[in-house]
Amino acid sequence: MTVLELQEVTKVFSGRKGAQVRALDRVSFCIEEGESVGLIGSSGSGKSTVANAVCRFIDVTSGRILLRGCDITEARGKALRQVYKEVQMVFQSPRSSFDPRRTLGDGVGECLKNGGVGKAERRERVRALLERCGLPAAAADWYPHEVSGGQCQRAAIARALAAQPRLLVCDEATSALDVMAQRQILELLLELKAEGRLQLLFITHNLAVAQQCCDRLIVMDKGRIVEEGRMDDVVCRPQSEYTRRLIEAVLY
Amino acid sequence: GTEEANHSAAGKTFVMGDTTFNPENNEPDINPHNDNSGWACIRYGVGETLFRYSDTMEIEPWLAESYEPVDDVTWRIVLRRNVTFTSGRPVDAQAVKECLEHLVAVHKRAAGDLHIASMEADGQVLTIRTTVPVPALPNYLSDPYGCIIDMQAGITSDGMVTATGPYKAVSLVSGDHVDLVKNDAYWNGEPKLDSITIRTISDGDTLTMALQSGEIDAAYGMPYASYPLFQNDEYTISSAATSRTFFVWMNFDSPLMQEEAVRKAISMAIDKQGFVDALLHGNGYPAAGPFPGTFAFGGDAAKAEPYDLEGARRVLDDAGWKDEDGDSVREKDGRRLALRWLTYPSRQELPLLAESAQATLKQIGVAVDIQCTADHNRVKKDRSAWDVYASAMVTAPSGDPQYFFTYCCLDGSDSNTGRYHSDALEELARKMEGTFDPDERGALAAQMAQTILDDHAYVFCSHLKMSMIARKGVVGLAAHPCDFYEITADLDKT
Amino acid sequence: MKEAVIAYDNVDICYDGRTVVRQATFSLQPGEILGIVGESGSGKSTLLQSAMNLLGPGGAVTQGHIWFQGQDILALSDEGMQRLCGAQMAMVFQDAAASLCPVRTIGSQICEAAAAHLDMGKEEVRRQTLELFARLGFSDGRRVWESYPFELSGGMNQRAALVLVMLLKPALLLADEPTSALDVCAQKQVLDELLYLRDQYGTAIMLVTHDMGVVSRVADYVLVVKDGQIIEYGPAKDVLASPAQAYTKELLAAVPKLRRDRR
Amino acid sequence: MTMYVIKRLLQLIPILLGITFLSFAMMHIAGSDAVVQKYDRAGIAVAAEVVAAERAQLGLDRPFLTQYIVWLGNLLHGNMGVSFMTGRDVFATFMDKLPATLLLTASSVLVTIAVSVPLGIAAAVRRNSPVDYVIRFFSFCGNSMPNFFLALVLLYLFAVQIPLFSVLSSGEGLEHLALPTATLAIAMSAKYLRQVRAAVLEEMGKDYVLGAKSRGIPFSWTLRCSILRASFGTILTLLALSIGSLLGGTAIVESIFMWDGVGKLAVDAIHGRDYPMIQAYVVWMAFIYVVVNLLTDIVYRIADPQIGWKEGRRR
Amino acid sequence: MISEALVSRKAPKQRLVLFSLCAAALLCVAAFGAHLCPYDPYAQQYDAVLQAPSWDHWLGTDRYGRDMLSRILAGAQLSIFSALALVAMIAFIGTGIGLLCGYYSGKADALCMRLADVCLAFPSLIFAMAIAAVLNGGIHNAVVALGAVSWPKYARLVRSRTLALKEQKFILAAQMAGSLPRQILIRHILPNCLGTIVVTAALDIGTMMMELAALSFLGLGAKPPAAEWGSMMSTGRSMLQTYPWVVLSPGAAIFLSVAILNLWGDALRDYIDPKERGR
Ligand SMILES: Nc1ncnc2c1ncn2[C@@H]1O[C@H](COP(=O)(O)OP(=O)(O)OP(=O)(O)O)[C@@H](O)[C@H]1O
Ligand SMILES: Nc1ncnc2c1ncn2[C@@H]1O[C@H](COP(=O)(O)OP(=O)(O)OP(=O)(O)O)[C@@H](O)[C@H]1O
Ligand SMILES: [Mg+2]
Ligand SMILES: [Mg+2]
């Protein structure tokens, strides 16, 4: 069954002085059940915009977004909250995604609280989640401005996982992490994936990382999908010129 | 240097600050036919009336030479011969007739007072016929609205008029100032100043400081608290008692107030002297009856209850009002002796009176709940909402005593706010209507005043003292009991 | 030996009494590139920030000295610091977008920085910036110049922030994960630019990164930090080839590698 | 943007209808009318017929709704009626006094900005230092002093004790503007500078301030170009709000300084139940508010690029 | 450097404690002031009117010969609590409306804001008079009347903050966590506006004391002989030159309360900002 489907999604930002930026240009793809999709592309190619559109942070200019067959292109209010039970996102800039006046623990525990989980249990679960993402349990009492970029990112991942989503959108979720933390998170994601609960839309610049956790790869350039295919096919036999250049530039 | 040059160019100038000359007071200009603007017209020496009040508030001729009632409804008025308007037109009966015709056409209050049916002009002789007998017609014609103006010269859009006074207006900004210059052809002596500016200064404290800084030569309407600043050799204060009276109305619709003992106790428990001395800083006179001592029929002509707390307590004790529950408020038959005292703040003295009375009444075991509201007129109409109403009224605006009783105390009175009724008073009032002789009217007035005092229907607390403060060197500026006359040909500055 | 551009001498750094960096000692000569690696939260950013006195209200250097071209940075007045910052040493923040003012365009912020340190006309600044933008792989530099930070993608902001400091040609560049949000092509261009900067102007660079590929490509020296402690410090080749510490070995082993063969 | 402005200006119509109706209704609820009020103040009693005649003359004997509709109809013909208190044309009187109030308001706002923005910033930048405490001390003083008190003290000091200025203003001239402006500006600055301080402090905690510092941008530049620009919205909103209270608060100052403006006119009209004049004032205030708020909203949107011209995103 | 760091981190808490104590003392005076009076605050004595401050009467006497100090103590309750109640009310209502309007911007928002325009533009005097007519006098109704026209200030202020805040990432994150709008408003947006609100509200206390005094002219405020500070000040205004203590004593009382409450507000603002507070 298809978890997520984008049909001809186009997004045009109109700038201040009337300038228009076509951030997405008729983007269509889908994520099947049990499948994880990697999204790569040069910076500014519209990856975050895809993520934002999927999570309904921006309204798309045209096209449809379907979640398990339901049209969520214009979901609002209650319907949107229903969507967020299934879809979660890890933001590119983790620090600004935490309320500066609340602790990381509050942030992570927010969806549990909304779900009616009691205080003591919530505390326990938050600590467990943080530890699972490689943070000390004490991190629950830290404020966003007090932690390092990587620590904040881990908390953000913990927050997203707290909701037990079916689809996790990771916008460069691991690029601020050191390699060991990165591996730890990837293992966690793979584990969840293996349990069959989680589908990933994984945005990254690190092909190697994408290779580890994704089954399929989509390559974007200038708001368009230039290549799509099974991971290994794309990596070993890139079809487009752009993908080839991308793969060749990998250093390690 | 230049200042002196200015001075000589403008001649002798005089600046007067006045708090009342403004639209808020319905005195937007000096056109006597517009609302209360006649006050400004007459006060500032622009206009003059046919008759005027003497210092003892008796009518004497002014622009008129003499008058006589021909019958109950006919008056013959002979005008002075040598008077001209500043336009140059002589003041004759025709001019006066035109003026009065216009007045009654546009000024509702004047029309209601004068009841003019017709007028005849013949040289200097004006004959006025009224629809009903108006014994006080000369008094009404002395009201500021009766200033005689030249209707041919007309009324300017600024509200300036051409009249007969020692000064004539040259420019006027409503609510700000009016500039006057000397009327060289004045009939009654030569004005001594070349020009006068009347500045509207609505705020008492600004007035104080303007006088202190020497920007004005004289001031009208000084706040009481400022008097100590001017009680020295640098300034002269001229005062006169006016008929503006602070008094209390008892509400005869209120069960509490229907009881004579309560009314009597209240009238004995208001410290009039203390109020005048401490709160008005001496700018008033304790009142006995409705009229001040400057009137022949006023002052001690009527006797009020003296201030006597012990006596008041006895009165209440005797009437069965006792403080049984120890809350220092008396009660009887389960009712507390608590008065609702209605008053309003636009006269600054009224809240003071209320608080003063509250304190003294407390001492005799009467609680007072003060409702001091700008909206008193509406509250007043609901006679179940108050027991005592304190107000400030001019009791004899035209110098005639009938006015007060007619409007405030009789069954048919429009303003008998407390629904007071007395057969004796009705009888006396009927008598007064048919009496034309001023002395007889005065005697009747004294009787009437005594009647209402004996009934404890009103408590007259104080008459206001009207004062003007002038810098040293200003002469000829004297307060007048009727508060109409300020600037005269005698005014001078050295 | 030339005078070091920057030298840390037994530096301890605390936040609220909690020591997060201990006894850091190292130095950097002009034209050298130092790669700093280590797990997240180990104090890398803190190390960089301390060089610019940017630790914020709760942080402080509690021991040791930081010498910049022979001056004790910790003893410098605010004005002295302000003169050094930007012109002599400049920093690219980990969260580049947040370090840019949200209500001003990229262009105006670049002009501002140039006006503070360079004697250059506005047009000239713009020309040079656009040139740099192009070299860093922007297809439409002019739009970036006129954009507000929130209108740009993460990587674009990061490169814009980099251009901002490269324009000033500082003697020391503190780069906190300058390429983390960049795709590999752009990353390559950025690294080339950094090397160019070093070669052309002798800029010394402290580079914090998680990407071992980046370290091996550009760094002359490597510093490995763990829990605020420097556990390994030496020439990049040596450290990468034969790490002395177990932790470093683990770190290297954990680097994900792209499998290019078909399974 | 043009659409936006047009839309907002169109909204003025229902506002005017609502507010004039409301004030009309309220004045009626408040009881007593112009005639009663007049005799009351004068302290003289008159015959009921006289009162009735005067009321009829002013149209006060008609039902309340009729009065309002008549007034509205006249307004559509560009006629705001004549004042109950002075018998003069309301519009002419009002327009006559408006420039004085505008001048006073404008000068006070300018002085307020000139005083409070720098001081507010200084207090924020040097917060919890002696400078900050001194500035705040004066702000508390200004805040706990009623306007009349300040006005009297200023007059006493600078016109009576040290005769720098005259007590009575004789119309134009900067020196006459000085004291009333000072009174209003001191009171307003006292509030405003604290709010500027708060807004600037808020902004100073943001990361980009550190960023600018790291680039060696002098703090004054950051302050001017970034911090102020970012807190501009809040500062401006506050300013717009205080312009309103300023316009309302000029009455007392106008009467103390003999400044012949609309503030005093309005208060007198309210006390005298001079409906046509009150309506003129209400219309004017509504207009001013809508325009000031519109301007703020426009400037706010220009200053904060993240808020677009569409009324924000709905969720 | 170390000590400086420590001072700046600890200070917000210390300041908050200090000013909270001051504020508590003020409220105690307000609550129990009536019992501390050296004289009967209502006893008139015409032989001792307008006496200058002396050992017998520390702050002098007023024109009825009442002891000023006693009156100020006795009036503290009414003055402080009514101003506090009023400010609390308008801050509460205004903030609520501002939050909703800012968050849900749309037709309702436009409507509310125009309503706010109307309220702001509406001469409060007229409104107060109407209230006086309908509800009769008394300080409670004065509070209601003033409240009804003063809330828009907070509404506008909070709305503009909300507009800016709701675009922030952490609000998006909260939405993702399934928080209802009301939860987002209360948990995230409100705390982030609180600084501005607290500062403005603390400032408003002095203003409102004066406004309440102005209404007493209409018969809406405190009833005589109650000693409300604002009214004491305005009724004594013309004595500024001759008997200054009559005006200055209540003025000083107002100043003191305003200063304490403001300092407390600032300290609170600093404290609720975790960046200032430290761990
Ligand atoms: N709010 C906005 N207003 C205008 N333009 C925008 C806005 N948000 C994004 N864009 C533009 O849309 C394009 C795509 O941006 P997006 O953030 O999706 O890129 P990305 O692929 O995530 O890049 P990166 O890897 O650098 O994060 C960019 O050109 C960007 O400038
Ligand atoms: N302002 C602060 N107040 C208190 N503690 C802080 C503050 N900033 C950072 N820390 C703590 O200091 C330690 C080091 O943080 P730092 O930002 O230097 O880490 P980092 O090495 O840069 O990590 P990353 O790679 O994740 O960015 C962390 O444990 C962090 O929690
Ligand atoms: Mg992105
Ligand atoms: Mg870091």
Side-chain angles (χ1 to χ4, degrees), chain A residues 47-49 92 171-172 203, chain C residues 153-155:
Chain A
K47 303 181 296 296
S48 300
T49 309
Q92 188 164 6
D171 194 356
E172 304 188 21
I203 300 173
Chain C
S153 75

Side-chain angles (χ1 to χ4, degrees), chain D residues 8-60:
Chain D
R8 284 287 293 268
L9 285 179
L10 281 181
Q11 287 173 350
L12 187 61
I13 296 170
I15 292 182
L16 281 181
L17 280 180
I19 193 169
T20 52
F21 181 78
L22 210 64
S23 57
F24 225 89
M26 293 256 170
M27 286 317 287
H28 277 268
I29 294 174
S32 344
D33 55 41
V35 179
V36 176
Q37 208 68 12
K38 170 172 84 182
Y39 287 119
D40 208 44
R41 250 196 324 269
I44 44 180
V46 287
E49 308 89 71
V50 172
V51 173
E54 289 199 18
R55 296 191 52 193
Q57 195 178 24
L58 299 179
L60 288 171

Side-chain angles (χ1 to χ4, degrees), chain B residues 23-24 26 29 34-35 108-109 157-158 199-202 205-206 215 244 375-377 393-394 403 407 414, chain D residues 30 36 38 40-48 53-54 85-86 88 152 166-169 256 258 264 268:
Chain B
E24 191 195 359
N26 295 81
D29 48 40
N34 183 11
D35 252 340
K108 295 288 182 278
R109 180 163 66 89
S157 61
D158 295 341
R199 291 294 311 255
T200 305
I201 304 177
S202 319
D205 298 306
T206 313
E215 285 167 57
R244 193 178 287 278
D375 195 32
H376 61 116
N377 272 312
M393 266 187 59
V394 184
Y403 164 90
Y407 283 112
D414 296 319
Chain D
V36 176
K38 170 172 84 182
D40 208 44
R41 250 196 324 269
I44 44 180
V46 287
E54 289 199 18
M85 270 157 75
T86 65
R88 277 154 219 269
L152 293 181
S166 54
V167 176
L168 306 175
S169 79
I256 290 182
M258 292 303 307
K264 187 172 165 338
D268 290 352

Side-chain angles (χ1 to χ4, degrees), chain A residues 13 21 23 42-49 92 172 205, chain C residues 143 150-156 181:
Chain A
F13 288 106
V21 181
S42 55
S43 113
S45 60
K47 303 181 296 296
S48 300
T49 309
Q92 188 164 6
E172 304 188 21
H205 293 300
Chain C
R143 176 166 80 84
F150 77 94
E151 291 177 330
L152 298 178
S153 75
M156 290 161 115

